[in-house]
Amino acid sequence: MKRTKIAELIGHAPENQKVLVQGWVKSHREYPDVSFVALNDGSTIKTMQIVLDANFKAEYEAAHPDQDYKELMKSINTGAAISVVGHLVPSEGKGQTSEVKATGLKVFSPFNPDFPLQKKGATLEFLREKMHLRPRSNTFGAVFRIRSAAAFAIHKFFTEKGFFYVHTPIITGSDTEGAGELFHVTTLPLNNIPKTADGEVDYEQDFFGKSAHLTVSGQLNGETFAMALGDIYTFGPTFRAENSNTSRHLAEFWMVEPEMAFYDIEMNQDLAEEFIKYVIQYVMDHCADDLEFFDEFGHTLNQGVGKRELKARLNFVLKHKFKRITYTEAVEILQSASKKFEYPVKWGSDLQSEHERYLVEDHFKKPVIVTDYPKDIKAFYMKLNDDGKTVRGMDVLFPGIGEIIGGSQREEDYDKLVKRIHEMGLPEEEYWWYLDTRRFGSAPHSGFGLGFARLLMFLTGMTNIRDVIPFPRYPRNAEF
Ligand code: ATP
Ligand code: MN
C-alpha cells in the first residue's frame, strides 16, 4: 500500500477508506481505553490524529502475544517515527474534521528521551544549535515549505514571461564588482605555497592556472546570455566572505538575477516590483497554513514582530505601488528628518541600513526604490547618467529588511565602460570577454539581484537571516 501524505489526506472526505500514513509523533495522549497520537509527516504544518482504541489494543495483543502493549504505547511519543494503517473517519474531537482509526502500527524508531525538540517553546537560538533537527519543529517546517514554494514561484514567474534559466558558474576567475570579500578556491598546498621570483603567490601552479574564487554574483556571465537569449535569469548560490555578523548577511546565500536585453531602468523597476509581488501572492495562495502559523505565533519567536502583523504586511505590499525616488531626493529627506542617525547622511556616501529603514518604515511607510546613486559608491558596470556624477542603479528597500534588491541599467557603451574600469582601478585585461559584449552587438540592458533569503525574511517574518536557509554559513560557522 502506498502512503498518503497528510496534506492530501486533510482534503479528503472521511468515508472509512483504508489509508497508510507515516511520519513523526508530535504528541501522544493516553487514556485508560484509548490513545490519541498527533502525527506529522512534514507535508503540512497540520497533524493527523491517530486513534488507537480498545479494538486496536485487543487485536494488537492477540497478534503479538509476546509483546507488552504498555511498552508499545510508551515507545510512541514525541519524535518517534511510525507507520499506521487505518481508516479515515470523521473525528468527534475538536480541531480536526477527520482522523485515522488505526488497525495496524509499526514503529520504525521508538521514542528516545534524549530527543532535543520535545519541549514546546524552544528558542530560535537553541534550535540553531540543532540545525540538523530543527526542520522537524513547526517553525522550521513552515519556513522551509515556504522557501520551497517561493523558489518554485520564481521559476514559474520567469518561465511564464519567456525568460530562460541560465546556470552561471560557481567557481570563477573574475570578481564581478572588484569588491573583494572573496573566498579563494585553490589546490595549492597551504603550508607550502609556491611563490614567484618577486614573492607573489604563483597561481601558474594552481589548479586553474590563475587565481580563482567562489562567485559573488552571476551577473557578468548572465549579461553575456542576455545579449544572446534576450531575457534570462540565474538562481543559484553566491558567496561573500564579508566578516559582518549581522542578521541580514550570510557567507553563502542564494541570489536570483534576471538580466534583460533592451530594458531601461524604468522597465527594470517595473519588473522588480511585479516579480516580488508575484512571489508574495503565490506564497499567500499556496502556503496559507504556514503563513497563518507565523501570523499567529511569529511574535513569540521574533522580537519586534507584532501578533497578526505578518499577513497584513504582505497584503499591504501587494496593494501599494512602490515609491520611487532618486538617491539625491533620499538624501534630502534624510537630512531634514528629525530623527538622529548613528551615521550622518551626506551626498556621496552610501545609505546605511538605518537610513534605508527610515525611508521605508517612517517616511513613506511602504517599499521604496531608490535610483541614480553617486557613481563612486556603485559598481563599474552601472550606466552613467548625463550629469556625469550619478549612475542608473536601483535598490529596492523593504520594511524590516532594508535592501532586498540591488540592480541597474548596465553601461552598454564600450568607451564609457572601459573608462569606468580604469577609474575604479580594475584590471581591464580581466574583463576582456565582458567588454566583448560591448564590442559586438551591444544594446541597452538591465538587471537586478534579489537576495532570496532576504525575501524569505519578509515572507515569514523571521528576523534573522540564519533562520531562513537550511544550513547557514557565517563567520566562524560551517558546522553541519
Ligand atoms: P547590503 O548593502 O545589504 O550588504 P549589497 O549592496 O552588498 O547588500 P548586492 O551586492 O547588490 O548587495 O547584492 C544583491 C542582493 O543580494 C542584495 O540586495 C541582498 O538582497 C542580497 N545580499 C547581498 N549580500 C548578502 C549577504 N551577505 N547575505 C544575504 N543576502 C545578501
Ligand atoms: Mn553587502
Side-chain angles (χ1 to χ4, degrees), residues 181 240 242 249:
E181 301 173 343
R240 298 204 186 162
E242 43 200 354
H249 290 90

Side-chain angles (χ1 to χ4, degrees), residues 390-461:
T390 58
V391 288
R392 281 185 207 169
M394 63 175 219
D395 281 3
V396 180
L397 313 179
F398 256 49
I401 289 164
E403 180 185 334
I404 194 164
I405 280 181
S408 68
Q409 182 170 345
R410 319 305 189 190
E411 182 58 77
E412 82 265 24
D413 183 277
Y414 179 87
D415 294 326
K416 286 186 187 158
L417 189 57
V418 171
K419 191 161 167 249
R420 290 295 296 143
I421 287 178
H422 291 165
E423 275 174 12
M424 300 205 120
L426 300 169
E428 183 188 337
E429 62 283 1
E430 286 287 314
Y431 295 95
W432 68 271
W433 56 271
Y434 184 67
L435 287 168
D436 264 4
T437 60
R438 273 63 170 178
R439 293 175 62 213
F440 310 119
S442 187
H445 62 289
S446 299
F448 60 81
L450 166 103
F452 187 45
R454 300 233 178 127
L455 177 61
L456 279 161
M457 290 170 74
F458 185 72
L459 287 167
T460 60

Side-chain angles (χ1 to χ4, degrees), residues 296-450:
E296 189 172 354
F297 299 111
H299 69 286
T300 64
L301 300 161
N302 295 287
Q303 276 182 354
V305 177
K307 190 175 162 94
R308 294 279 170 213
E309 218 176 77
L310 179 70
K311 285 203 258 184
R313 236 204 258 172
L314 298 179
N315 273 314
F316 183 83
V317 166
L318 288 182
K319 260 198 261 136
H320 292 86
K321 194 165 159 43
F322 297 0
K323 179 72 193 173
R324 299 179 185 191
I325 57 167
T326 65
Y327 167 88
T328 303
E329 288 165 344
V331 166
E332 281 160 11
I333 291 167
L334 292 164
Q335 282 175 338
S336 55
S338 53
K339 188 173 170 151
K340 285 281 151 283
F341 297 111
E342 194 184 328
Y343 293 89
V345 184
K346 99 174 188 293
W347 200 97
S349 53
D350 208 356
L351 300 181
Q352 299 293 323
S353 177
E354 55 172 342
H355 307 139
E356 297 175 341
R357 293 186 58 172
Y358 175 83
L359 292 171
V360 173
E361 290 160 32
D362 300 324
H363 192 81
F364 290 112
K365 298 193 164 54
K366 58 173 150 174
V368 176
I369 309 183
V370 181
T371 58
D372 303 286
Y373 284 82
K375 65 176 179 179
D376 293 334
I377 58 170
K378 288 292 182 187
F380 74 92
Y381 50 70
M382 295 192 184
K383 186 175 172 66
L384 195 63
N385 279 316
D386 293 339
D387 63 11
K389 288 191 305 199
T390 58
V391 288
R392 281 185 207 169
M394 63 175 219
D395 281 3
V396 180
L397 313 179
F398 256 49
I401 289 164
E403 180 185 334
I404 194 164
I405 280 181
S408 68
Q409 182 170 345
R410 319 305 189 190
E411 182 58 77
E412 82 265 24
D413 183 277
Y414 179 87
D415 294 326
K416 286 186 187 158
L417 189 57
V418 171
K419 191 161 167 249
R420 290 295 296 143
I421 287 178
H422 291 165
E423 275 174 12
M424 300 205 120
L426 300 169
E428 183 188 337
E429 62 283 1
E430 286 287 314
Y431 295 95
W432 68 271
W433 56 271
Y434 184 67
L435 287 168
D436 264 4
T437 60
R438 273 63 170 178
R439 293 175 62 213
F440 310 119
S442 187
H445 62 289
S446 299
F448 60 81
L450 166 103

Side-chain angles (χ1 to χ4, degrees), residues 134-312:
R134 70 177 186 171
R136 298 194 205 174
S137 66
N138 282 336
T139 302
F140 286 95
V143 165
F144 294 119
R145 276 184 297 271
I146 290 174
R147 188 176 164 104
S148 173
F152 178 72
I154 286 166
H155 288 299
K156 190 162 151 38
F157 174 81
F158 285 120
T159 303
E160 284 171 2
K161 280 199 164 301
F163 282 58
F164 296 101
Y165 179 30
V166 176
H167 297 113
T168 50
I170 288 176
I171 299 175
T172 154
S174 69
D175 168 6
T176 305
E177 323 222 346
E181 301 173 343
L182 304 173
F183 285 105
H184 286 277
V185 176
T186 180
T187 51
L188 292 177
L190 291 181
N191 53 5
N192 185 20
I193 296 173
K195 299 277 174 69
T196 60
D198 42 5
E200 304 281 328
V201 176
D202 186 7
Y203 286 112
E204 264 304 315
Q205 296 188 45
D206 203 352
F207 188 90
F208 298 106
K210 64 180 293 196
S211 119
H213 53 264
L214 297 178
T215 186
V216 295
S217 157
Q219 180 197 319
L220 301 193
N221 300 85
E223 282 185 55
T224 70
F225 270 74
M227 287 297 109
L229 305 188
D231 297 335
I232 65 98
Y233 70 107
T234 72
F235 184 10
T238 49
F239 306 84
R240 298 204 186 162
E242 43 200 354
N243 202 1
S244 48
N245 253 310
T246 79
S247 57
R248 302 176 310 117
H249 290 90
L250 292 163
E252 174 182 303
F253 62 100
W254 284 60
M255 186 139 70
V256 184
E257 295 181 277
E259 191 71 37
M260 297 75 64
F262 316 113
Y263 267 52
D264 64 14
I265 188 75
E266 296 295 330
M267 297 160 81
N268 204 19
Q269 292 173 77
D270 293 342
L271 184 78
E273 180 165 350
E274 185 188 351
F275 166 59
I276 294 199
K277 286 180 172 173
Y278 181 95
V279 178
I280 293 173
Q281 185 67 59
Y282 184 91
V283 166
M284 291 185 82
D285 292 345
H286 293 84
C287 305
D289 294 338
D290 291 323
L291 283 182
E292 174 62 21
F293 170 79
F294 285 123
D295 202 43
E296 189 172 354
F297 299 111
H299 69 286
T300 64
L301 300 161
N302 295 287
Q303 276 182 354
V305 177
K307 190 175 162 94
R308 294 279 170 213
E309 218 176 77
L310 179 70
K311 285 203 258 184

